[in-house]
Amino acid sequence: MDTKKKLILSLYRQYKATQTKQHELTYLFWECTLRCNFNCVHCGSDCTRQAAVPDMPKEDFLKVLADIRPHVDPHKTMIVLTGGEPLVRRDLAECGQAMYDMGYPWGFVTNGWGLEEKRLQSLLKAGLRSVTISLDGHREESHDWFRGKQGSWLRAINAISRVVSTPDLVYDVVTCVNKRNIADLPRLRDLLISLGVTHWRLFTVFPKGRAKDNPLLKLSSDEFLQMMDFIRDTRREGKINASYGCEGYLSDYEMEVRDNPFFCQAGINIASVLVNGDISACPSLRGDYVQGNIYRDDFWTVWNTRYQIMRDRSWTKTGKCASCKSYKYCQGNGLHLRDEKTGELLHCHLEMMGINPCKQKRAVNNTNLINKTAIL
């Protein structure tokens, strides 16, 4: 790693420490439903069409927003609705309008199936600020397989086209890279560019939920490096702003495949209210990461007095992390990639890159994707 990048990463460590100390809430997820009209092969929540847990009444979440409003700047606190599939809620526009009336910008993450023009217009009138839409292939075969829904690719394409053509709407398209679509990334990129998409986020599956034991979802080290090189080269071309997701320290690829260095902001700037009222960070953190419940705890008190497990991550310096020379930059990786019971790291991005996290050396790659040994 060159000296300039090391300096930037060192300065960014100081920034992360300051952010952790201040823990200003800027991003709040609401898992508004666990119902879903898809059957995705990777689903971390293992959602079903008829979820065992009912949707949270909007009044319960709106009370949280009302309670914290004196303590935050609502205009700078983004509310993101997730699930499940948020569009299965018939009252989504009413939810959005109530949040907008309180001054909160809001958006949602969707598979795009239910985002017809009429529905989109009703949500825009309710103050919709941002949309994230999933697209997992440049053709129907790969996307529909991954999403478990025939016809879902075309619906997603149509939804993306509507969003792209909507003035002042913040959006991005997200793609889950797996063994069945990695070879098609160049064609998917060209498709998105033809649709006028400007922001594209790629990520990999983490080993939980349905994805835990599916061999088609986990990339090999060669494939992971192929994806990194693809994102870096796409960014350099400048036709579309491609980036890797916010998870994982990436060594020499830091600031090459996304705008900022790795920073897991769970519990630092990000919180969530899960569908049963549990208070956590990003919705991927459940189980032992839950800090309280809105039906018995005051959310703002929880935010200010708990979350120690996320703000002091020294406990993650165990196992392979204990002797890792990159720990000062990584701090144990994203918390969603650790076992919630044992704390064991389930997924190391350095290992995915063929780097021994203890010796910090990358083995020679016989496929010539990486044809030299890198010393960090």
Side-chain angles (χ1 to χ4, degrees):
M1 183 182 294
D2 63 56
T3 303
K4 180 180 178 181
K5 188 171 290 188
K6 284 184 178 180
L7 176 60
I8 293 173
L9 289 174
S10 295
L11 292 173
Y12 203 73
R13 285 178 63 200
Q14 299 175 26
Y15 168 78
K16 290 193 288 186
T18 300
Q19 289 294 306
T20 301
K21 183 177 181 180
Q22 295 175 344
H23 54 265
E24 179 184 3
L25 179 63
T26 58
Y27 224 80
L28 179 57
F29 284 96
W30 177 29
E31 187 181 62
C32 63
T33 182
L34 281 182
R35 291 183 295 137
C36 189
N37 48 8
F38 279 18
N39 189 32
C40 302
V41 297
H42 73 304
C43 183
S45 302
D46 202 14
C47 301
T48 59
R49 289 183 179 83
Q50 301 297 326
V53 181
D55 295 356
M56 178 182 288
K58 67 178 184 296
E59 293 78 12
D60 297 353
F61 182 70
L62 293 174
K63 183 180 184 304
V64 173
L65 296 185
D67 289 345
I68 69 173
R69 197 166 182 270
H71 308 289
V72 303
D73 182 346
H75 301 291
K76 297 180 180 179
T77 308
M78 185 69 190
I79 312 301
V80 179
L81 280 61
T82 184
E85 169 53 50
L87 287 172
V88 302
R89 286 191 65 129
R90 295 183 178 180
D91 64 347
L92 194 61
E94 289 83 353
C95 297
Q97 185 66 59
M99 292 185 285
Y100 178 78
D101 290 344
M102 281 192 277
Y104 292 99
W106 70 279
F108 64 97
V109 181
T110 179
N111 56 41
W113 183 272
L115 198 60
E116 300 94 348
E117 181 64 25
K118 183 177 180 180
R119 188 80 185 276
L120 176 59
Q121 291 303 318
S122 71
L123 297 173
L124 290 169
K125 290 179 181 178
L128 177 65
R129 175 71 178 275
S130 71
V131 179
T132 293
I133 301 177
S134 298
L135 185 68
D136 298 295
H138 89 286
R139 53 184 178 176
E140 293 180 76
E141 180 183 357
S142 54
H143 177 90
D144 289 5
W145 163 78
F146 190 76
R147 294 292 163 180
K149 185 86 166 182
Q150 188 174 0
S152 60
W153 180 84
L154 183 59
R155 290 276 194 124
I157 291 294
N158 290 336
I160 291 168
S161 298
R162 294 185 186 102
V163 165
V164 168
S165 62
T166 302
D168 302 322
L169 182 62
V170 178
Y171 72 88
D172 65 353
V173 174
V174 295
T175 296
C176 186
V177 183
N178 57 77
K179 286 183 177 296
R180 288 188 60 165
N181 68 4
I182 187 168
D184 291 335
L185 290 181
R187 283 175 285 188
L188 178 54
R189 174 193 57 202
D190 294 344
L191 172 62
L192 293 175
I193 292 173
S194 72
L195 294 173
V197 173
T198 56
H199 288 77
W200 181 28
R201 186 156 39 100
L202 300 91
F203 62 97
T204 44
V205 177
F206 54 90
K208 293 185 179 180
R210 297 175 187 167
K212 185 176 181 180
D213 301 311
N214 192 328
L216 290 175
L217 300 183
K218 184 178 179 179
L219 300 180
S220 67
S221 291
D222 289 349
E223 290 167 332
F224 188 81
L225 289 169
Q226 178 185 344
M227 179 186 67
M228 290 290 106
D229 289 341
F230 170 80
I231 297 173
R232 181 197 60 201
D233 295 344
T234 297
R235 289 171 65 87
R236 290 175 178 175
E237 290 173 1
K239 295 180 181 180
I240 186 171
N241 185 354
S243 64
Y244 183 60
C246 61
E247 66 177 33
Y249 171 69
L250 300 171
S251 186
D252 283 331
Y253 286 105
E254 287 294 331
M255 294 167 286
E256 300 286 337
V257 296
R258 55 191 172 207
D259 295 338
N260 298 310
F262 169 63
F263 182 13
C264 177
Q265 295 175 273
I268 297 171
N269 304 114
I270 296 174
S272 69
V273 175
L274 304 183
V275 71
N276 65 348
D278 282 344
I279 301 169
S280 187
C282 66
S284 297
L285 296 181
R286 316 177 91 86
D288 288 352
Y289 290 114
V290 169
Q291 301 299 298
N293 189 285
I294 65 169
Y295 295 115
R296 63 173 183 269
D297 301 303
D298 174 69
F299 179 92
W300 193 245
T301 299
V302 170
W303 177 252
N304 282 294
T305 62
R306 303 184 191 178
Y307 286 91
Q308 289 85 356
I309 194 173
M310 304 177 201
R311 295 171 188 167
D312 178 3
R313 303 193 185 185
S314 58
W315 61 271
T316 65
K317 197 172 175 62
T318 59
K320 66 183 72 174
C321 294
S323 55
C324 179
K325 295 181 180 179
S326 291
Y327 182 84
K328 59 185 177 181
Y329 304 130
C330 181
Q331 294 184 306
N333 214 325
L335 291 181
H336 67 290
L337 297 176
R338 306 192 78 92
D339 186 280
E340 294 175 358
K341 298 296 183 183
T342 67
E344 177 188 358
L345 182 62
L346 302 174
H347 189 75
C348 173
H349 285 70
L350 293 181
E351 290 182 336
M352 285 293 293
M353 294 164 61
I355 297 173
N356 184 322
C358 300
K359 296 181 179 180
Q360 299 294 284
K361 292 184 179 181
R362 179 177 295 148
V364 176
N365 188 311
N366 293 327
T367 63
N368 292 321
L369 290 172
I370 299 294
N371 58 15
K372 62 179 180 297
T373 300
I375 310 295
L376 282 78

